[in-house]
Amino acid sequence: MPVHDWTRVRDGTFHHFHYSWVLEIMRALKRGLLPAGYYVMAEQFGGDVGAPDVLTLQAAGTQPESGSPLSGTATLTETPPVVHARTTIATDSYARMQRSLVIRHTSDDRIVAMIEIHSRGNQSSRHALRSFVDKAVAALDGGIHLLLVDVHPPGPREPNGIHGVVLNEIGTEEYVLGGERRLTAMAYTGGAVVEAFVVHFAVGEPIPPMPLFLTRENYVPVPLEATYLAAWDDVTAQYQQVLLAPS
């Protein structure tokens, strides 16, 4: 199903859809995408990273990240993700020293990855945008891998999209969002060196699958299109008609 123009409806309508989409992504990960020893939880407090939409955790006592390849996952070497841009960023070490990170979960299991579906509320004020970006950067600084999905056009506070803001925050990379495809999905590996994998799409186009990294080398593909379609069924009929109406 092509992505809709969510600027046609109120924030509350997207918030309802957002909730359903997060649950569908979590269900997809639980239904065989994650390897043994990994699990997902929704909206769990993660220390300095706040409460992301989905946390992927590694159970205590399971294989550490430096171990052998994870069974059931794809690897960057053998199956690199199909994206429009791939960038390696050595993060700003001075800025990293200014942030004190304690990344824990109440279960004591290790947080390895986060998924965030961007909403217009994150663009509503400088404080809201700063809070969202701080959470993303804190996760990357703490070695947590990150998948961000933004189905909203950039606003005046982030003319180059969330990816542009994140890149400017973690390093010296300059990023300009051009062309007609101004919606983005971004996968990052966390740590002192961040790799970013970015796809661009537009209203009326499907969302490509994106990698969710469990280690710097191993990832699972997240079926964003299929989960978007499943969540669409939860949108009230009258708002479906508004979103499906010709522009």
Side-chain angles (χ1 to χ4, degrees):
M1 171 174 284
V3 173
H4 302 91
D5 181 0
W6 291 97
T7 64
R8 293 184 176 189
V9 295
R10 296 179 179 179
D11 289 353
T13 301
F14 180 78
H15 180 74
H16 176 75
F17 171 78
H18 172 281
Y19 177 79
S20 296
W21 195 7
V22 166
L23 290 181
E24 293 297 337
I25 290 173
M26 188 171 65
R27 288 174 181 139
L29 290 170
K30 291 174 66 176
R31 291 169 181 163
L33 286 179
L34 290 177
Y38 291 80
Y39 64 97
V40 290
M41 300 183 76
E43 296 184 343
Q44 296 289 302
F45 183 72
D48 284 356
V49 298
D53 289 330
V54 178
L55 280 180
T56 304
L57 299 105
Q58 184 181 33
T62 58
Q63 173 182 296
E65 183 163 334
S66 58
S68 57
L70 289 172
S71 176
T73 66
T75 66
L76 276 180
T77 303
E78 297 179 358
T79 315
V82 179
V83 294
H84 295 127
R86 176 176 174 177
T87 309
T88 301
I89 311 106
T91 59
D92 187 330
S93 59
Y94 175 79
R96 196 164 62 247
M97 288 171 61
Q98 308 311 304
R99 292 184 282 261
S100 174
L101 288 177
V102 181
I103 309 300
R104 295 195 183 98
H105 185 257
T106 54
S107 65
D108 288 333
D109 289 349
R110 187 169 68 94
I111 300 172
V112 297
M114 290 170 27
I115 302 175
E116 284 279 2
I117 307 297
H118 188 53
S119 67
R120 284 206 301 265
N122 297 323
Q123 304 167 304
S124 61
S125 67
R126 289 182 182 177
H127 174 72
L129 181 60
R130 168 50 55 189
S131 296
F132 183 86
V133 172
D134 282 349
K135 179 166 65 172
V137 172
L140 296 175
D141 280 347
I144 296 175
H145 313 302
L146 181 62
L147 173 58
L148 297 180
V149 184
D150 189 0
V151 296
H152 302 286
R157 296 183 179 88
E158 17 69 83
N160 293 309
I162 289 297
H163 182 54
V165 179
V166 171
L167 281 192
N168 289 337
E169 187 73 17
I170 64 176
T172 58
E173 291 289 326
E174 292 295 329
Y175 173 79
V176 177
L177 178 62
E180 297 181 355
R181 291 176 169 168
R182 300 182 63 78
L183 311 181
T184 50
M186 303 135 278
Y188 304 92
T189 61
V193 177
V194 172
E195 275 206 90
F197 302 79
V198 184
V199 297
H200 305 287
F201 52 97
V203 170
E205 296 180 348
I207 310 176
M210 287 296 291
L212 177 67
F213 286 91
L214 304 179
T215 75
R216 294 191 62 83
E217 175 68 16
N218 299 91
Y219 70 89
V220 294
V222 179
L224 295 176
E225 178 67 14
T227 52
Y228 183 101
L229 176 60
W232 171 256
D233 289 340
D234 288 337
V235 178
T236 305
Q238 69 182 88
Y239 295 120
Q240 285 189 349
Q241 292 176 6
V242 172
L243 290 163
L244 291 172
S247 56

